[in-house]
Amino acid sequence: MKPWVDAIAPYVPGKAKIDGRPVVAKLSSNENPFGPSPRAVAAMQEVLTGSHRYPDPASTELRQALGAHHNIDPDRIVCGTGSDEIIHLVAGAFAGPGDEVLHVRYGFAVYEIAAKRVGATVVVAPDNDYGTDVDALLACVTPRTRVVFVANPNNPTGTIIPASEIRRLHAALPSNCIFALDCAYAEFAEGEYEDGLALADAHANVVTMRTFSKIHGLAAQRIGWGYAQPAVVAAMHRIRAPFNVPTTGQAGAVAALADHDWVAKTRDHTLEWRRWLLGEITAMGNKGLRAIPSAANFVLVEFPAEGPLTAEKANAALTADGIIARYLAVQNMPRCIRISVGTEAETRAAVASLRAFVEANG
Ligand SMILES: *Cc1c(COP(=O)(O)O)cnc(C)c1O
């Protein structure tokens, strides 16, 4: 094994099952609790009989639909096997041994894997109470920095920085450094928001990344995309898998994008129940629990540093009640649990379980 591969800590996905017990709510992976749009399901069913043919290697229809939807140039879009692949393409095309890849502490776990996979050195900037700190990131930039990954809103923290901060960060980065802006949770942000599309149009060192796994409810189909200037897109095409998005995924994504009602319903529901979830956990503040303000479809809960109310025990209590949340010890956050916004019943069940744990142990 290459030493840089040996140095990778394996990605630990959110759990999907509990041994010996039916699942009441799976709130571990920030999925759409309503599932995909029925129109996307119908579109996928329609193409199943063509499964003996390879998919369109260029994801042509999907790129055209995305271009029309976002008013951007389809030729500057590269589709991937989830935005996970786009992250790997950015690292693979622009970083290697001797180069540095920068991200924030408590950032998305795939950035580190993607950087190490290509032999680059990972540099981690300090957070600001779980949030992205632009000055801290800039202080970590060196002549070797080749890629800066920023998720906004961020996962697993749910924190967001304003559009002006995203632009300030980009403006201060050297032009030989790729700014990879991960907007997986763009649709859940409120207020003034920088989706990076105009930035990527105007600057040669920007890649903005999106996914169909979150608001569109198509995580199983593995569809993500990146948007950048032609030279960057060309580099990513060279190293991507030729048939990287399945035919079902391409068809489902096109239909999902057109189902504005499904997207609006998911967004409205998520914002309403995110607010409720934040409020309920904040109400447990007298016991030392803290909800980190979230702009995504999940809430990060921090447990007290001392005493019986640990995140580990809370996670065990939730699991015993059939609730799967994401205990973040694997990401060096042993005091934290991330809870996705589910259906009303699922979200209420998670809070009821957490409250019972707090009352029984606090
Ligand atoms: C979920 C997520 C993605 C990737 O999703 P794909 O399923 O690979 O498209 C990318 N970035 C962040 C921050 C995420 O949370």
Side-chain angles (χ1 to χ4, degrees), residues 110-146:
V110 174
Y111 305 150
E112 185 178 333
I113 295 172
K116 287 186 173 170
R117 177 192 183 185
V118 298
T121 302
V122 175
V123 178
V124 178
D127 61 302
N128 175 13
D129 190 25
Y130 297 108
T132 298
D133 183 336
V134 167
D135 292 310
L137 274 167
L138 288 172
C140 291
V141 173
T142 77
R144 289 169 184 258
T145 310
R146 285 292 161 273

Side-chain angles (χ1 to χ4, degrees), residues 40-353:
V41 175
M44 292 190 285
Q45 276 165 343
E46 209 164 290
V47 297
L48 277 176
T49 51
S51 292
H52 57 308
R53 303 293 183 202
Y54 280 99
D56 173 7
S59 298
T60 311
E61 247 191 273
L62 175 54
R63 286 186 302 102
Q64 278 163 357
L66 285 167
H69 183 86
H70 292 285
N71 196 24
I72 54 175
D73 180 357
D75 290 340
R76 295 184 174 196
I77 298 171
V78 53
C79 293
T81 313
S83 49
D84 278 359
E85 188 190 15
I86 306 296
I87 293 165
H88 280 285
L89 295 179
V90 171
F94 297 101
D99 297 331
E100 291 173 358
V101 171
L102 176 59
H103 62 76
V104 294
R105 188 177 178 214
Y106 311 136
F108 186 47
V110 174
Y111 305 150
E112 185 178 333
I113 295 172
K116 287 186 173 170
R117 177 192 183 185
V118 298
T121 302
V122 175
V123 178
V124 178
D127 61 302
N128 175 13
D129 190 25
Y130 297 108
T132 298
D133 183 336
V134 167
D135 292 310
L137 274 167
L138 288 172
C140 291
V141 173
T142 77
R144 289 169 184 258
T145 310
R146 285 292 161 273
V147 180
V148 179
F149 283 111
V150 172
N152 199 51
N154 188 32
N155 174 21
T157 63
T159 55
I160 189 168
I161 58 172
S164 56
E165 282 292 276
I166 291 290
R167 290 194 288 264
R168 182 168 78 87
L169 171 58
H170 171 261
L173 288 177
S175 60
N176 66 354
C177 174
I178 294 280
F179 179 41
L181 182 61
D182 185 341
C183 300
Y185 301 97
E187 294 85 354
F188 304 108
E190 290 175 288
E192 193 217 4
Y193 178 69
E194 178 57 71
D195 63 13
L197 294 172
L199 267 185
D201 264 326
H203 302 279
N205 68 334
V206 175
V207 183
T208 187
M209 305 183 284
R210 300 287 281 262
T211 179
F212 280 88
S213 298
K214 306 288 158 58
I215 198 155
H216 291 297
L218 287 168
Q221 291 296 320
R222 315 303 307 126
I223 317 133
W225 53 284
Y227 185 70
Q229 287 200 0
V232 172
V233 167
M236 292 164 73
H237 277 308
R238 277 187 213 175
I239 59 170
R240 73 173 170 86
F243 303 102
N244 58 352
V245 185
T247 305
T248 44
Q250 295 183 34
V254 170
L257 201 59
D259 194 344
H260 303 294
D261 291 346
W262 196 262
V263 171
K265 169 187 144 154
T266 303
R267 182 175 196 272
D268 292 349
H269 169 88
T270 304
L271 267 50
E272 178 184 348
W273 288 94
R274 177 176 79 198
R275 204 172 301 125
W276 183 82
L277 185 53
L278 283 165
E280 292 294 310
I281 293 160
T282 301
M284 301 178 206
N286 57 337
K287 306 284 189 176
L289 272 66
R290 185 159 76 109
I292 309 305
S294 171
N297 61 348
F298 57 84
V299 170
L300 184 71
V301 185
E302 185 196 63
F303 290 77
E306 281 166 15
L309 293 178
T310 66
E312 190 178 10
K313 285 191 190 138
N315 188 50
L318 286 164
T319 306
D321 287 340
I323 317 267
I324 311 182
R326 189 95 145 89
Y327 176 42
L328 290 164
V330 290
Q331 275 189 252
N332 290 323
M333 305 168 83
R335 286 175 60 190
C336 294
I337 289 177
R338 191 191 67 192
I339 304 174
S340 307
V341 175
T343 61
E344 173 177 349
E346 290 169 338
T347 313
R348 284 187 183 279
V351 164
S353 174

